Amino acid sequence: MIFYCHETLVYWSSSRCLPEQDRLAKSLLNLLPHHSFGKCLNSVGGWDVALSMYPKCATDANVVPKWWDHLHCAMSHYKFVLAIENTKTESNVTEKLFYALDSGAIPIYFGAPNVGDFVPPHSIIDGTKFSSMEELVSYVKALANDPVAYAEYHAWRRCGVLGNYVNTRAVSLDTLPCRLCEAVSRRGGRDARAS
């Protein structure tokens, strides 16, 4: 089997620099070609490098973006996104996983033990299901080199097999601003009278 030598497979970004999260990320990223953005373990030369790497991610030419504004767009340029929750608590599934799925990448996930309840079937790689980091890395490399197996992780996008994902995304914190705007609009905008 031929492994990618020059393709950067994994995207990761973090801004909180939590010791356990950084240790886990470093143990995986040391074994795979990656770009690490954000404040923690940055491997690309600064916080704003993603915008120069992916200029189409700038949404408004008149606004100087903050470093985090364009990172979610940058995810779409990678086969895999490392998504590590701040805590590994039951049902604590956050935007880290949802942004990765929304970008079109396959998340390599470490977090909620019941994550399968919140995502489409066969859509993520649960890093906790591997006996070692080396086994996980071997799996990721093999998957990156097998177009059919890689495509199977995206079958839910074509087939509409979503499980609880639609409902979970609909009530997740990162969709709250859109839901609030929709509610205000349904009530006639900001000048509507309370009923």
Side-chain angles (χ1 to χ4, degrees), residues 1-139:
M1 180 174 289
I2 299 171
F3 292 105
Y4 287 102
C5 296
H6 302 291
E7 183 177 2
T8 305
L9 295 178
V10 181
Y11 165 100
W12 188 63
S13 69
S14 178
S15 61
R16 293 203 49 209
C17 304
L18 300 171
E20 179 61 23
Q21 189 181 53
D22 285 356
R23 183 200 61 74
L24 181 58
K26 191 182 282 187
S27 68
L28 178 72
L29 298 175
N30 283 341
L31 301 171
L32 286 169
H34 70 280
H35 284 151
S36 179
F37 298 93
K39 293 179 185 178
C40 314
L41 305 178
N42 188 294
S43 69
V44 293
W47 294 359
D48 294 319
V49 174
L51 194 56
S52 62
M53 292 171 72
Y54 310 110
K56 291 183 179 178
C57 292
T59 55
D60 186 345
N62 299 319
V63 176
V64 177
K66 302 283 191 242
W67 68 269
W68 58 82
D69 290 339
H70 49 274
L71 295 183
H72 306 299
C73 170
M75 286 180 187
S76 68
H77 293 85
Y78 299 84
K79 287 192 172 193
F80 305 95
V81 170
L82 179 56
I84 305 173
E85 301 290 5
N86 295 344
T87 62
K88 292 165 183 66
T89 306
E90 189 92 5
S91 301
N92 180 43
V93 178
T94 69
E95 80 286 347
K96 293 172 180 67
L97 177 60
F98 298 138
Y99 288 157
L101 283 169
D102 291 349
S103 76
I106 297 174
I108 302 170
Y109 182 77
F110 291 90
N114 63 331
V115 65
D117 295 344
F118 302 95
V119 296
H122 196 60
S123 62
I124 71 167
I125 298 169
D126 185 344
T128 65
K129 303 297 184 197
F130 293 83
S131 61
S132 69
M133 201 56 75
E134 291 74 20
E135 181 187 7
L136 172 58
V137 166
S138 178
Y139 181 79

Side-chain angles (χ1 to χ4, degrees), residues 170 175-190:
T175 62
L176 180 61
C178 293
R179 294 193 323 266
L180 288 173
C181 286
E182 288 170 1
V184 168
S185 178
R186 280 193 306 273
R187 298 193 81 144
R190 69 179 192 181

Side-chain angles (χ1 to χ4, degrees), residues 159-179:
C159 303
V161 181
L162 300 176
N164 290 330
Y165 183 65
V166 172
N167 295 334
T168 302
R169 286 300 281 135
V171 296
S172 67
L173 188 58
D174 65 295
T175 62
L176 180 61
C178 293
R179 294 193 323 266

